[in-house]
Each structure stands twice: as C-alpha cells, then as structure tokens.
Amino acid sequence: MSTTAAPEAVKVPAEVEKSIVKFVAEHGGSGTAVLQYLGEQGVRITLVGADGILGDRVVTDMATAKAVVERVAGLEETDEWNRELVSVVTPTAKHWKKMAGWVAHQTRFPKARNWKLFAGA
C-alpha cells in the first residue's frame, strides 16, 4: 500500500473559464497569461490578447489559475512580465478609466497634503 496520496483534481470555476475563453476568442484567438499571487485574495490571471488588449480574472489559488490556463485553448502561461510582452500591451481608454477608479470621474482635485513643502520649488 502506498502512503502518497493521489493529487486532487482542481475545480475550475465555470464562469472564469467561460470569460477567459470569450476574451481569447475576441482578441485574436490566442493570448498570454501572467499569474500573480495576491496573498489571501488569491491569484490574478492577467491576460494579454494577441491584439495587446488587457484583461484579468482572480481565482482562489495558484493551482486553480494553472488549471484555467491549461484548459483554455490558445492561452499560454509566462512566468513574468518581459520586454516582449510589455511591448505588445495596448490598454484601451476604458481600461485606463477602470484602473483610475473614483479619480476618473473627478473634475476638481484637492490640494496634496504636503503642498506647502513644494510651494517654493
């Protein structure tokens, strides 16, 4: 009798897989996934489509993230952001606005708290 346990199958959330398949199909049929550990929140799967458009999804752990990448046709994983990958990224205006959060809708900005330090500069 063996004392080593068989590896458990990883359950991939259907909505995550479906959205990534749709993303890959809409952005050139292939893409690259960069897996980034976020701590207790899980793992961010940052997607770069063949056309350079960015997308992302978050899953609970690294095993699930790797399983998602394996299941999606046309998607390949890379260990890090490298020069070639960064050079093809083309964020859309919608992406910039999403990343800006509440600031994107502001028309008036408060003074910085340390404005007096730089007033004479």
Side-chain angles (χ1 to χ4, degrees):
M1 211 196 261
S2 176
T3 59
T4 59
E8 293 183 27
V10 178
K11 182 166 173 31
V12 175
E15 69 277 359
V16 171
E17 183 178 357
K18 184 178 177 182
S19 67
I20 292 176
V21 167
K22 181 179 176 186
F23 176 87
V24 170
E26 289 177 350
H27 298 286
S30 65
T32 304
V34 182
L35 307 181
Q36 302 159 337
Y37 182 65
L38 298 173
E40 288 183 18
Q41 292 83 9
V43 176
R44 178 184 307 276
I45 304 171
T46 304
L47 304 164
V48 180
D51 59 357
I53 301 299
L54 288 171
D56 72 327
R57 289 304 308 254
V58 176
V59 294
T60 57
D61 56 18
M62 190 63 77
T64 304
K66 288 186 177 288
V68 169
V69 172
E70 288 176 13
R71 291 179 65 154
V72 176
L75 190 62
E76 63 180 49
E77 178 187 347
T78 185
D79 294 332
E80 62 186 16
W81 289 95
N82 56 35
R83 184 181 198 115
E84 292 79 26
L85 183 59
V86 172
S87 68
V88 299
V89 172
T90 313
T92 63
K94 182 179 173 185
H95 189 85
W96 284 112
K97 196 167 192 167
K98 177 182 173 187
M99 295 306 288
W102 67 272
V103 177
H105 303 292
Q106 298 301 306
T107 56
R108 190 172 150 276
F109 296 94
K111 281 187 181 177
R113 285 181 242 156
N114 60 353
W115 69 273
K116 290 180 183 179
L117 296 174
F118 301 104

